[in-house]
Every structure is written in structure tokens, then in C-alpha cells.
Amino acid sequence: MKTANARLDEATEALKLAQIGVDLTHVRVPFIQRGATAGPELGTVVGQEAPDAPRRKYTLLERKVAVNQLVAPPGSAQLCTLAGDLEQMEVPAQVSESDISKVVKGARVFFTVSAFTDKEVFFTGQVKELRLMPASTQGAVFYTAVVAVKNQRDANREWRLRSGMSTSGIDLVTHTVDGPDHQGTWMVPSVALDFQLDEAYYTPGVKEKLVNTYGDDWKLVWRLDGAQPRPMFVRIGVSGKAEDPQTGLRPEPYTQVVEWPSDLTPAPVPGKSETYPRLITAAPPVKKSKWFSISNVIKF
């Protein structure tokens, strides 16, 4: 009997010690307190926020423990993986050392992810941070540009961007032409410049018009006049990708047209796409068929 009472007293004391351990255990989520003293990008790690602070909401991405599970180092180093606001995402973009000097904070970014094959699903953001520590991959040096992105919802109200997704293509805008609205900028497909058309397509008098007497910044393009290809020279500017409101940036490169020949008929009229010259970008051998792959000039 005395032995049983001794074991009971021992168990009671162990229970009291365990209760003290539970009372002294607090699992909190540390957060970064930002302010004028810490700066907009730096902050102080705070273990407990002010009592009058609004309650924060998190989305649980991964849980490594169960209820009533005993945790101890090193297992207690990371109990859960939380996400604060899934509407505001960050994408780390690897930029090569030869291009990092062209990237600035606030630059616009267009990208797609491998999870969506639909061309109309694209994302836009801005460069939020340029990290100084480089990373080397097979001898090449890259720097990380952190891109702030506003997430999108699909038809089922689920977030499109999720943690761990990989990008299938990313473009950082380093220069735009004619201001933010692009008014007055004519763009032609780069493949139409100096396109070599088979001589079998030539009409009388065409060879005489192939001589460039304008200068190095003028390039030859072929326009389709009815059913006949006509050569003409245009003065070009910068090259890059054209922005499309439906698909973001078009995958094929375009080149800016600064000046058209004065004898171009009909002359391009802003706002009337039917007056755009149709440029030839491809043509098969004459023996097979007689059709041209054409592309209209884009105006912004």
C-alpha cells in the first residue's frame, strides 16, 4: 500500500512539473515590424506584437506537427509554413550579370508560369528589390530581382499563383518608346526587315528599287500590293517586344518604324487598320505554291 501511494505521489509531482512546462511554453509567429526608424525595407523581428494590434491572418501551407505532439529541437525549428497574404506574391527572378545593370526598382515585369498553357493567362508586376549577393550556376553569375506580383483568381475563385510554381518566361521592361501610352509608335515584325524574297516573285522594275540610297538606318521590307509584292525602305528605331492587352508581351520581336517613304500609297492613317501596309514575312518556293505569310503593322 505504501509503495502504491509513493508511486501516486511521484506521478502527481511529474504531472505538476509537466503542467508548469505547458504553462511556460508559448509558440508564436515572429513578424517584422517596419516603420520610419527601421526604414521601408528593413525592420525589427518582434516576438510579440502590441495588445491593440489587429489580428493577423495566415494561410497554412504546410504543417509538420500534430495536436498534442511533443516537440523539441531540432524538430521545433520549423513547425508550420505560413503565408500571409496570397494576393500579394513575390517572384525571385534570376538576372544575368550582363543584364542586371539595366534593371531598376519599379521596372515593369511580364511573365507566365508553366502551370498555365493558355496564352491569355499572364502576370504583371514590378521589381521590388535587387539583391546584392550573386549566385553562380555552372560558371555563370546571376543576381536575384524580387518581383512583387498581384495574384489572380480563376473561375472557381482559387488563386492562380501558388508557392513553388516555376516561370516559363519572364521579361523585365528596361525601356519603352514614346512615353507610357505608346501613342504614335509604329511597329513592324523584325522578321520582315531585310527579308529575302525569291526572284521568281519579282515584277518588272523591282530590281531597280532594291538599292538602298537612304542610309544604314533604313531597312528593306516587302509589302503586298494587291497580289504583287512591292519593295520599300523604312527608317527603323529600337527593337523589342510589343505589348498586347490580351496576352501581355507578344513572343515575337518587333522593330519601331520612325519614318516611311513619302511615296507610300496608301499612307498609314492612325486609328484605321485597313490602311496599314501588309508586310511579307515568309514565302515558300514558287514551284510549290504562291502564297505569302503577311503581318500587319502594329500601331500604339
Side-chain angles (χ1 to χ4, degrees):
M1 187 65 178
K2 292 181 179 181
T3 303
N5 289 335
R7 291 180 179 177
L8 177 60
D9 293 339
E10 183 180 354
T12 303
E13 293 298 326
L15 178 61
K16 291 180 180 180
L17 290 175
Q19 185 61 45
I20 293 176
V22 172
D23 295 338
L24 295 177
T25 301
H26 298 277
V27 179
R28 297 189 179 95
V29 179
F31 66 98
I32 305 296
Q33 183 177 3
R34 306 184 189 276
T37 57
E41 298 177 1
L42 302 177
T44 304
V45 179
V46 180
Q48 185 174 4
E49 56 188 346
D52 56 346
R55 301 294 296 177
R56 292 170 291 151
K57 296 182 179 180
Y58 294 93
T59 300
L60 181 62
L61 300 181
E62 182 183 13
R63 185 178 64 182
K64 297 184 177 181
V65 292
V67 179
N68 297 328
Q69 177 183 340
L70 178 63
V71 295
S76 60
Q78 183 180 359
L79 305 182
C80 301
T81 302
L82 306 178
D85 185 3
L86 293 181
E87 186 177 5
Q88 304 296 329
M89 304 287 286
E90 290 184 353
V91 177
Q94 300 298 318
V95 183
S96 64
E97 60 176 330
S98 59
D99 296 328
I100 192 62
S101 60
K102 306 174 186 177
V103 182
V104 297
K105 293 182 181 180
R108 300 175 64 199
V109 178
F110 295 83
F111 70 95
T112 56
V113 294
S114 304
F116 303 101
T117 57
D118 191 351
K119 294 182 178 180
E120 294 185 359
V121 179
F122 67 97
F123 302 89
T124 60
Q126 286 185 325
V127 177
K128 176 183 178 182
E129 178 185 355
L130 294 174
R131 295 179 179 171
L132 301 179
M133 182 61 66
S136 180
T137 304
Q138 297 182 351
V141 177
F142 295 90
Y143 290 87
T144 301
V146 180
V147 181
V149 183
K150 185 175 181 181
N151 207 346
Q152 305 174 6
R153 291 185 182 272
D154 57 17
N156 299 322
R157 302 297 299 169
E158 297 290 342
W159 293 114
R160 294 185 186 273
L161 284 180
R162 303 186 182 187
S163 176
M165 285 185 172
S166 59
T167 59
S168 58
I170 185 168
D171 294 277
L172 286 83
V173 179
T174 59
H175 176 72
T176 57
V177 292
D178 281 0
D181 55 355
H182 305 282
Q183 293 300 319
T185 302
W186 296 83
M187 306 292 289
V188 299
S190 298
V191 293
L193 301 174
D194 293 329
F195 174 72
Q196 300 295 326
L197 188 66
D198 196 307
E199 292 188 6
Y201 290 108
Y202 289 3
T203 55
V206 165
K207 288 187 177 181
E208 290 75 9
K209 297 181 180 180
L210 298 181
V211 180
N212 184 2
T213 60
Y214 300 95
D216 294 338
D217 55 346
W218 287 73
K219 297 296 181 180
L220 172 68
V221 295
W222 291 86
R223 62 187 177 95
L224 194 61
D225 185 8
Q228 299 296 331
R230 305 291 183 185
M232 69 177 184
F233 289 87
V234 293
R235 186 164 68 92
I236 64 173
V238 298
S239 298
K241 291 186 177 181
E243 183 176 350
D244 192 307
Q246 300 297 328
T247 60
L249 294 180
R250 298 193 177 193
E252 63 273 12
Y254 283 79
T255 301
Q256 178 191 13
V257 176
V258 180
E259 184 179 352
W260 299 86
S262 57
D263 58 346
L264 176 60
T265 304
V269 177
K272 295 184 179 180
S273 59
E274 64 272 10
T275 63
Y276 291 7
R278 297 188 299 168
L279 301 183
I280 298 175
T281 57
V286 180
K287 294 181 180 179
K288 293 183 178 180
S289 60
K290 290 186 178 182
W291 59 266
F292 301 102
S293 177
I294 59 176
S295 179
N296 289 340
V297 179
I298 300 177
K299 182 182 184 300
F300 296 100

